[in-house]
Amino acid sequence: MSSPIVKLIAQRVALGILLLFAVSVLIFAGTQILPGDVAQSILGQSATPVSLANLREEMGLNDPAYVRYFRWLFGILQGDLGTALTSKLDIATSIKGRLWNTLFLAFWAAVVSIPLAIILGLLAVRYRNGPVDKLISGLALASTSVPEFFIGYLLVYFFAVKFQIFPGISTVYEGMPFLEKMKAIALPATALTLVVLAHMMRMTRAAILNVMQSAYIETAELKGLTAFEIIWKHAFPNAIAPIINVVMINLAFLVVGVVVVEVIFVYPGMGQYLVDHVAKRDVPVVQAVGLIFAAVYIFLNVVADVASILANPRLRHPK
């Protein structure tokens, strides 16, 4: 790789690390200004002032905020996510299985949504301004306008309650047979697919149409190539950089934006785990899960930037 590409990639990675550090500060500060008293929530309303003071001292709550932040940050860097206040369980151990469940759900939603979005985008370009394009664009706009919780409840009503095809509660566990697990995640994966599909399809269509205005597309038309050959062989490869960006951003949403969907389907993932412990005001869990979500989102955005740099022919083949 040429030095300009290496320099750009290094800048994106450094910016990602800096952004993650800034997000960690915001997460810690945000959890510190939450209303209520952690020690009070653990011991209950009947706790004595002496027991509350002892617990605050034991948990280090009397230390300055910056001391507690760096203690927490250094623990994270060493792989120690802390201990849950309510259950006294190691957070890293508790998160491990739930993170895998969230990634499993996001993976299958991506497997369906990404190829389907690209195919629909190509069809919309091929039949642009025609009935097919208008139908696809109209359905995409309608899907984008509907929030994921409404989509989730519609899926539950029709496929779990009325027709009883899939379970309304997506229970998965370690050692569960693969086909049973796929049936269990069918509805939440469909909800996530419908949420991200429309955005990826519309951006794919826009990126390809932008390339279709280029002079070499006219040359391909004069050569007598079919419309599909022009789109697939000439327009699509040159529109791949913005498409990769959109795909990566939506992959990040599939992992980070699953909170609502997991709550609706009672799916044992990171989102459900976060909501449960927000209600309990379990600050270490909220901090750990929030930082993991932020790290995944920033990482996938950095990957999108790097992929766009590598896919840019002007950077790979400078004059």
Side-chain angles (χ1 to χ4, degrees):
M1 288 188 290
S2 61
S3 57
I5 292 181
V6 174
K7 184 179 179 181
L8 283 173
I9 292 175
Q11 288 176 346
R12 296 296 191 277
V13 173
L15 183 60
I17 295 172
L18 182 62
L19 183 59
L20 184 58
F21 174 75
V23 169
S24 72
V25 174
L26 291 176
I27 290 173
F28 185 85
T31 54
Q32 298 309 301
I33 62 176
L34 287 174
D37 183 2
V38 177
Q40 188 79 63
S41 64
I42 294 173
L43 296 179
Q45 296 299 322
S46 60
T48 64
V50 174
S51 61
L52 287 172
N54 290 336
L55 183 58
R56 290 192 187 101
E57 184 65 31
E58 180 185 340
M59 296 174 62
L61 297 177
N62 295 328
D63 296 333
Y66 71 90
V67 173
R68 287 182 279 121
Y69 168 73
F70 284 110
R71 184 192 303 138
W72 171 68
L73 183 62
F74 290 146
I76 294 289
L77 294 175
Q78 294 171 4
D80 179 15
L81 298 180
T83 304
L85 299 178
T86 51
S87 63
K88 303 299 181 183
L89 296 176
D90 181 63
I91 296 175
T93 304
S94 301
I95 280 178
K96 185 178 178 181
R98 291 179 173 272
L99 179 59
W100 168 251
N101 288 341
T102 294
L103 293 176
F104 182 79
L105 176 61
F107 171 79
W108 286 107
V111 166
V112 175
S113 61
I114 293 173
L116 188 57
I118 293 175
I119 291 171
L120 290 176
L122 292 172
L123 286 174
V125 173
R126 169 61 183 86
Y127 300 104
R128 60 187 179 278
N129 300 325
V132 174
D133 181 23
K134 292 179 181 179
L135 176 63
I136 293 174
S137 298
L139 291 175
L141 182 61
S143 177
T144 306
S145 305
V146 179
E148 60 261 42
F149 72 86
F150 186 70
I151 293 174
Y153 285 130
L154 282 179
L155 292 174
V156 170
Y157 174 74
F158 284 106
F159 294 100
V161 177
K162 192 168 185 179
F163 300 112
Q164 298 183 355
I165 301 173
F166 299 107
I169 297 178
S170 302
T171 302
V172 297
Y173 53 86
E174 189 176 354
M176 187 178 187
F178 179 74
L179 292 179
E180 289 185 22
K181 187 177 286 188
M182 293 300 294
K183 185 176 181 180
I185 70 166
L187 293 185
T190 301
L192 286 174
T193 297
L194 292 175
V195 169
V196 300
L197 176 64
H199 183 236
M200 286 193 291
M201 188 284 297
R202 294 180 68 190
M203 293 304 295
T204 299
R205 178 184 181 277
I208 297 176
L209 283 178
N210 185 51
V211 173
M212 292 289 287
Q213 309 300 319
S214 304
Y216 60 85
I217 297 297
E218 289 187 26
T219 304
E221 291 173 348
L222 293 174
K223 289 181 178 179
L225 297 179
T226 64
F228 267 118
E229 286 179 326
I230 293 172
I231 294 170
W232 181 251
K233 294 182 179 180
H234 296 276
F236 180 68
N238 288 282
I240 198 69
I243 292 174
I244 289 175
N245 255 317
V246 173
V247 167
M248 286 298 177
I249 290 172
N250 280 277
L251 281 179
F253 175 80
L254 284 176
V255 177
V256 178
V258 296
V259 176
V260 174
V261 172
E262 287 187 358
V263 171
I264 291 172
F265 294 97
V266 199
Y267 184 75
M270 293 281 286
Q272 182 68 48
Y273 185 64
L274 174 63
V275 171
D276 289 344
H277 286 80
V278 166
K280 299 173 184 176
R281 205 181 182 281
D282 201 326
V283 173
V285 174
V286 176
Q287 290 173 337
V289 175
L291 190 63
I292 290 172
F293 276 155
V296 170
Y297 192 86
I298 292 171
F299 171 75
L300 289 175
N301 275 273
V302 170
V303 171
D305 287 342
V306 172
S308 297
I309 291 170
L310 295 177
N312 191 331
R314 294 180 181 178
L315 293 175
R316 288 188 285 110
H317 307 289
K319 293 182 179 181

